[in-house]
Amino acid sequence: MASLLITGGRVLLPDMSVTQADVLVDQDSGSIVEIGSDLTAEKTLQASNSLVTPGFVNGHSHVPMVLLRGYADDKPLDRWLEEDIWPAESKMTPDDVHIGAKLGLLEMIKSGVTGFADMFFHVPKIVDAVDQAGVRARLGHGIVTTGKGDENAFADVKESLDFALEYDGAANGRISTAFMPHSLVTVGSEYLDDFVPKARAAGIPIHYHANETLNEVTPIVEDYGVRPLDYAADHGMLESQDFVAHGVHVDEHEINLLAEAGTSVIHCPASNMKLASGMAPIQRMRDAGVEIGLGTDGAAANNDLSLLDEGRDAAMLGKLAADDAGAVPAELVVEMMTQGSASALGFHSGVIKEGEPADLAVIDLEKPHLTPQHDLVSHLAYAAVGSDVKHTICDGQILMRDREVLTLGEKSIVDQAQQTADLLLSRVSS
Amino acid sequence: MASLLITGGRVLLPDMSVTQADVLVDQDSGSIVEIGSDLTAEKTLQASNSLVTPGFVNGHSHVPMVLLRGYADDKPLDRWLEEDIWPAESKMTPDDVHIGAKLGLLEMIKSGVTGFADMFFHVPKIVDAVDQAGVRARLGHGIVTTGKGDENAFADVKESLDFALEYDGAANGRISTAFMPHSLVTVGSEYLDDFVPKARAAGIPIHYHANETLNEVTPIVEDYGVRPLDYAADHGMLESQDFVAHGVHVDEHEINLLAEAGTSVIHCPASNMKLASGMAPIQRMRDAGVEIGLGTDGAAANNDLSLLDEGRDAAMLGKLAADDAGAVPAELVVEMMTQGSASALGFHSGVIKEGEPADLAVIDLEKPHLTPQHDLVSHLAYAAVGSDVKHTICDGQILMRDREVLTLGEKSIVDQAQQTADLLLSRVSS
């Protein structure tokens, strides 16, 4: 077998303990073969003074929106969407999505992200970028039917299912798909009733925004007399393979619904703060048995795609939401960034364990801001940043070595993305 | 004159606009001489593809606490102080404080911080570290009299004033001092009445924690029948040169008191979130005319000393506190990180302007996570991290060039700090 030894590092184990060990990877199968000492392999990757962690998994994003990073900040969600984001997105071409996806993938690989979920449009272009970049992804076409005529609405819903059916298993199995209604208030129930059973029959999971703001809750309560997640369950969208983004405004009944259904919540703390959406009750959901992952949301609402940043935000906001400094402790944060998101997305990654996928990040610990090293799990949650990641490995392949991304050309993508973003905004303002 | 030209960059001006320009520095006086083009100097510092910003000013910290970074997280403030922080601090020797200060200074210089305020003990050791590091600082000995006998209490208060009088103007004027009662509930009023007038008579400003948690508010309201900032004013501690940390639980009356007195508030969003202290009403204070700076607090409650991280936290938390995504916009964040903190601490830095101190940070913009560059003020507030800082300049001297700190030995300090922290904790547990 083609083998790779990650050598000299400390390794974060699934129980959140840390041990000095080498990690042997079978590059043909993409799996971890052994965690131990005195191992040999064809190639080695140096991890001395470093922490080997599971690769981080970004559970909810709209990656090509990196092109709009810093374009419009400091506005409430509705005005921000209507005045800035939607007009700009409407001008995005497939080529824009392609370069935006590459830029976002570069940023994610450079911050140790080895897998992500994405909801966007022109998604085959994202497939192509993911194939080249080498990460794992669950991708889908985001559906909006409100404000569209029947024909366009139907075409949009159909595109989401068609994409999911066609591309599931692409990039040697690194790409999986989902059926992705944008939210419960932006997709008509007749379309859900028509298409959700088709996705379910094909084994395709469903991903959507749920209870992000009160504007997503109130209309459903008023129109249907039930809470949004009751409405979701009534339309067959609350199964164990499904995952929802946000879950900010959920009540106790909905928390229990999520726990019983086994539907995961992807927590997006930075976006929830930046758009003043509110504070998701993460510790309460967790205590009730809800599985929680972590996501950055789009860069326009964040403004980065680093899961390490997001983990810190999750710890901070979780304590404030619970009015308890003991809530959302470092171990839970790291679990959300790795196992939690991975499990939500149906990936087998997220833990460093023999037989599991070799999706890994190697963090350089020899930094003033990571000194002293009393507790490396605390450092992951609170002190490490994306630029501390030294190597990124996915599916057994080295995607970044010593901060150089091997699968994507950094300089040319950065230059192209700047040009593309400038042209996009000139089309928006013209 | 010994001159330095920072060349090829874009420059952030005091009105938050950005212009392509070179910055000419007189290294003898430590001042900015000219901002323009076609300038020449003896030495140059390359800033192409970079943003030249005022150096960031950390308005409130306990820098040597970096030795306890990650030692105790996820606990409420009272238990955290009593079970972990105070026992560890009580074992800190002058040498521990010295190496802790150097480690923290290294971290701050590496993230573009050129000035800070610090409240700690064994402060002459911090003076020594600041002198070597080359940054600007306002330092003080933190006083606690509760739980101490009269003699020890008096000695502690006296030490704070004596330190302030002796070291004001040290390190060629880069060091100034303050009289620093820890808080309004941990220092007896008799000591305030005795010593505050003496500090005031000597022109020494006063810095203390105010209204950080409800536990600091309730006892004063109950015992004295006034709000804490009324109590502070009654004891002569609310003047325009004074600055208070936190200001989380302030009411409208206290906001007006602060505005009228011209006393600055140092906002510490990360600490306030991590310890679940609450949400300071930053936008409301700002609208009332209160001057706001930004501080990291100690690393044990953060867990880093990067003002760029803190700025992002301030934007996020400020919106949540105001329930308004338009609150605490990027411009205000950057102002707090620079002019706001500098002004609170009585530094003349914080703006890039002819005649002002050359305290500068140069941010490398050629990064995927800082692409595209629609709005560089947004990038400073939301997307840039400490490791994006390429050069740090204070008082006209280059403290860091191309990420190498010139005034402190990084490797040896990191190694020594790790050993020192390990020994400290072994003394705590024995």
Side-chain angles (χ1 to χ4, degrees):
Chain A
M1 69 176 189
S3 59
L4 172 70
L5 192 66
I6 301 162
T7 178
R10 280 181 276 173
V11 178
L12 182 69
L13 298 176
D15 67 357
M16 297 290 156
S17 68
V18 172
T19 187
Q20 179 78 42
D22 296 345
V23 179
L24 181 63
V25 171
D26 173 4
Q27 295 196 293
D28 298 331
S29 68
S31 300
I32 296 166
V33 176
E34 197 173 344
I35 299 151
S37 56
D38 297 322
L39 303 173
T40 56
E42 292 169 12
K43 281 179 278 185
T44 60
L45 197 58
Q46 193 51 246
S48 55
N49 289 318
S50 299
L51 177 66
V52 184
T53 76
F56 309 120
V57 179
N58 187 353
H60 175 71
S61 194
H62 314 278
V63 167
M65 284 181 76
V66 284
L67 293 181
L68 302 176
R69 188 197 322 267
Y71 163 60
D73 301 301
D74 308 320
K75 283 188 170 185
L77 180 62
D78 49 352
R79 278 186 48 211
W80 176 75
L81 286 173
E82 283 162 28
E83 295 174 10
D84 304 296
I85 299 303
W86 288 339
E89 282 187 352
S90 74
K91 302 281 185 177
M92 282 178 86
T93 67
D95 285 346
D96 292 350
V97 169
H98 197 216
I99 186 69
K102 285 188 187 180
L103 178 66
L105 283 159
L106 203 47
E107 182 184 353
M108 289 197 287
I109 292 171
K110 294 203 85 168
S111 55
V113 172
T114 56
F116 72 109
D118 208 72
M119 177 191 287
F120 214 64
F121 49 92
H122 303 318
V123 194
K125 290 292 186 180
I126 306 178
V127 168
D128 186 76
V130 169
D131 192 12
Q132 184 185 344
V135 302
R136 212 173 288 283
R138 187 168 287 276
L139 304 177
H141 171 89
I143 307 160
V144 174
T145 66
T146 49
K148 285 181 182 166
D150 276 356
E151 204 171 320
N152 285 338
F154 184 85
D156 204 37
V157 189
K158 187 169 181 302
E159 184 171 350
S160 191
L161 184 63
D162 288 349
F163 169 82
L165 294 172
E166 182 175 349
Y167 287 93
D168 201 48
N172 297 318
R174 280 187 289 103
I175 291 175
S176 52
T177 59
F179 181 67
M180 296 197 183
H182 175 268
S183 77
L184 300 170
V185 295
T186 49
V187 177
S189 62
E190 65 276 27
Y191 299 108
L192 299 178
D193 290 338
D194 191 358
F195 279 84
V196 166
K198 292 175 185 164
R200 191 66 69 208
I204 301 286
I206 300 167
H207 176 49
Y208 51 101
H209 298 85
N211 303 49
E212 179 177 0
T213 67
L214 288 175
N215 292 339
E216 287 180 16
V217 174
T218 311
I220 291 180
V221 172
E222 286 179 0
D223 292 353
Y224 302 98
V226 293
R227 295 286 305 175
L229 294 181
D230 281 312
Y231 175 90
D234 290 347
H235 291 86
M237 296 166 66
L238 210 69
E239 300 288 333
S240 65
Q241 65 268 55
D242 301 337
F243 58 111
V244 303
H246 299 293
V248 174
H249 301 277
V250 287
D251 67 9
E252 289 302 321
H253 164 68
E254 286 174 300
I255 291 174
N256 291 332
L257 272 183
L258 287 163
E260 283 160 24
T263 303
S264 299
V265 172
I266 305 296
H267 178 38
C268 301
S271 167
N272 296 162
M273 287 193 272
K274 185 162 184 249
L275 299 171
S277 303
M279 303 192 271
I282 294 303
Q283 189 64 55
R284 268 169 50 215
M285 285 200 262
R286 173 67 182 190
D287 292 343
V290 180
E291 183 140 37
I292 320 268
L294 203 57
T296 61
D297 210 347
N302 189 312
N303 293 351
D304 67 61
L305 302 180
S306 167
L307 256 267
L308 284 163
D309 251 29
E310 206 69 31
R312 179 180 150 96
D313 291 339
M316 300 297 197
L317 184 61
K319 294 172 198 321
L320 208 57
D323 193 19
D324 174 7
V328 190
E331 293 74 15
L332 175 54
V333 167
V334 176
E335 189 189 295
M336 290 194 290
M337 290 159 62
T338 56
Q339 303 165 34
S341 283
S343 166
L345 273 51
F347 298 166
H348 296 285
S349 64
V351 286
I352 301 185
K353 200 173 156 186
E354 289 167 19
E356 298 297 326
D359 292 11
L360 304 164
V362 180
I363 317 269
D364 183 359
L365 296 170
E366 212 171 6
K367 302 276 178 94
H369 68 277
L370 299 178
T371 304
Q373 292 159 19
H374 297 307
D375 181 341
L376 298 182
V377 172
S378 162
H379 278 8
L380 278 181
Y382 292 112
V385 293
S387 56
D388 298 324
V389 178
K390 191 162 135 183
H391 314 305
T392 304
I393 296 105
C394 183
D395 203 30
Q397 313 307 310
I398 304 172
L399 307 187
M400 178 174 75
R401 181 199 285 265
D402 292 316
R403 302 241 8 104
E404 187 195 351
V405 176
L406 306 179
T407 52
L408 297 167
E410 180 166 338
K411 174 98 180 72
S412 83
I413 291 172
V414 164
D415 289 349
Q416 274 183 70
Q418 182 68 51
Q419 286 169 28
T420 301
D422 288 343
L423 285 171
L424 170 62
L425 293 198
S426 69
R427 289 200 302 278
V428 173
S429 60
S430 70
Chain B
M1 67 177 189
S3 59
L4 172 70
L5 192 66
I6 301 162
T7 176
R10 281 181 275 174
V11 179
L12 183 69
L13 299 175
D15 67 355
M16 297 291 157
S17 68
V18 172
T19 187
Q20 179 79 41
D22 296 345
V23 179
L24 180 63
V25 171
D26 172 3
Q27 294 195 293
D28 299 330
S29 70
S31 300
I32 296 166
V33 177
E34 196 173 343
I35 300 150
S37 55
D38 296 322
L39 304 173
T40 56
E42 291 168 12
K43 282 179 276 183
T44 60
L45 197 59
Q46 193 50 247
S48 56
N49 288 318
S50 299
L51 177 66
V52 184
T53 75
F56 308 121
V57 178
N58 187 353
H60 175 71
S61 194
H62 313 280
V63 167
M65 285 182 77
V66 285
L67 293 181
L68 302 176
R69 190 199 318 269
Y71 163 58
D73 302 301
D74 307 321
K75 283 185 169 187
L77 180 61
D78 49 352
R79 278 185 51 211
W80 177 75
L81 286 173
E82 285 163 26
E83 296 174 11
D84 304 296
I85 299 304
W86 287 339
E89 283 188 349
S90 74
K91 303 281 184 178
M92 282 178 85
T93 67
D95 285 347
D96 292 351
V97 169
H98 197 217
I99 186 68
K102 285 189 187 179
L103 178 66
L105 283 159
L106 203 47
E107 181 184 352
M108 289 197 287
I109 292 170
K110 294 202 84 167
S111 55
V113 172
T114 57
F116 72 111
D118 207 72
M119 176 191 288
F120 213 64
F121 49 92
H122 303 317
V123 193
K125 290 292 187 181
I126 305 178
V127 168
D128 186 78
V130 169
D131 191 13
Q132 183 185 343
V135 302
R136 212 173 288 283
R138 188 168 285 276
L139 305 177
H141 171 90
I143 306 159
V144 173
T145 66
T146 50
K148 285 182 183 165
D150 275 357
E151 204 172 318
N152 285 338
F154 184 84
D156 204 37
V157 188
K158 187 167 181 303
E159 184 171 348
S160 192
L161 184 63
D162 288 348
F163 169 82
L165 294 173
E166 180 175 349
Y167 288 93
D168 200 48
N172 297 319
R174 281 189 287 102
I175 290 176
S176 51
T177 59
F179 180 68
M180 297 198 183
H182 176 267
S183 77
L184 300 170
V185 295
T186 50
V187 178
S189 62
E190 65 276 28
Y191 299 107
L192 299 178
D193 290 338
D194 192 358
F195 279 84
V196 165
K198 293 176 185 163
R200 189 67 67 208
I204 301 286
I206 300 168
H207 176 49
Y208 52 102
H209 298 85
N211 304 46
E212 178 177 2
T213 67
L214 288 175
N215 292 337
E216 287 181 15
V217 174
T218 312
I220 291 181
V221 172
E222 286 179 0
D223 293 352
Y224 302 97
V226 294
R227 295 286 305 177
L229 294 181
D230 280 312
Y231 175 90
D234 290 346
H235 290 86
M237 298 166 65
L238 211 69
E239 300 289 332
S240 65
Q241 64 269 54
D242 301 337
F243 58 111
V244 303
H246 298 294
V248 175
H249 301 278
V250 287
D251 67 9
E252 290 302 319
H253 164 67
E254 288 175 298
I255 292 175
N256 291 332
L257 272 184
L258 287 163
E260 282 160 24
T263 303
S264 299
V265 172
I266 306 296
H267 179 39
C268 302
S271 167
N272 297 161
M273 288 193 271
K274 186 161 183 250
L275 298 170
S277 303
M279 302 191 272
I282 294 303
Q283 189 64 53
R284 267 169 49 215
M285 286 200 263
R286 173 69 182 186
D287 291 344
V290 180
E291 184 141 36
I292 320 268
L294 204 57
T296 61
D297 210 348
N302 190 312
N303 292 352
D304 67 62
L305 301 180
S306 168
L307 256 268
L308 284 163
D309 250 30
E310 206 68 32
R312 180 182 150 95
D313 291 340
M316 300 297 196
L317 184 61
K319 295 172 198 319
L320 208 57
D323 192 20
D324 173 7
V328 191
E331 292 75 15
L332 176 54
V333 167
V334 175
E335 190 189 293
M336 291 193 289
M337 290 160 62
T338 56
Q339 304 165 34
S341 283
S343 167
L345 273 50
F347 298 166
H348 295 286
S349 63
V351 286
I352 300 183
K353 200 172 155 185
E354 288 166 20
E356 298 296 326
D359 293 11
L360 304 164
V362 180
I363 317 266
D364 183 359
L365 296 170
E366 213 172 4
K367 303 275 179 94
H369 69 278
L370 299 178
T371 303
Q373 293 158 18
H374 297 308
D375 181 342
L376 297 183
V377 172
S378 163
H379 278 7
L380 277 181
Y382 292 112
V385 293
S387 56
D388 298 325
V389 178
K390 190 161 133 184
H391 314 306
T392 303
I393 296 104
C394 182
D395 203 29
Q397 313 308 310
I398 304 172
L399 308 187
M400 178 174 75
R401 181 199 285 267
D402 292 317
R403 305 257 341 120
E404 187 195 351
V405 177
L406 306 179
T407 51
L408 297 168
E410 178 166 339
K411 174 98 180 73
S412 84
I413 291 172
V414 164
D415 290 349
Q416 275 182 68
Q418 181 68 51
Q419 286 169 29
T420 301
D422 288 343
L423 284 170
L424 171 62
L425 293 198
S426 69
R427 289 199 303 277
V428 173
S429 61
S430 72

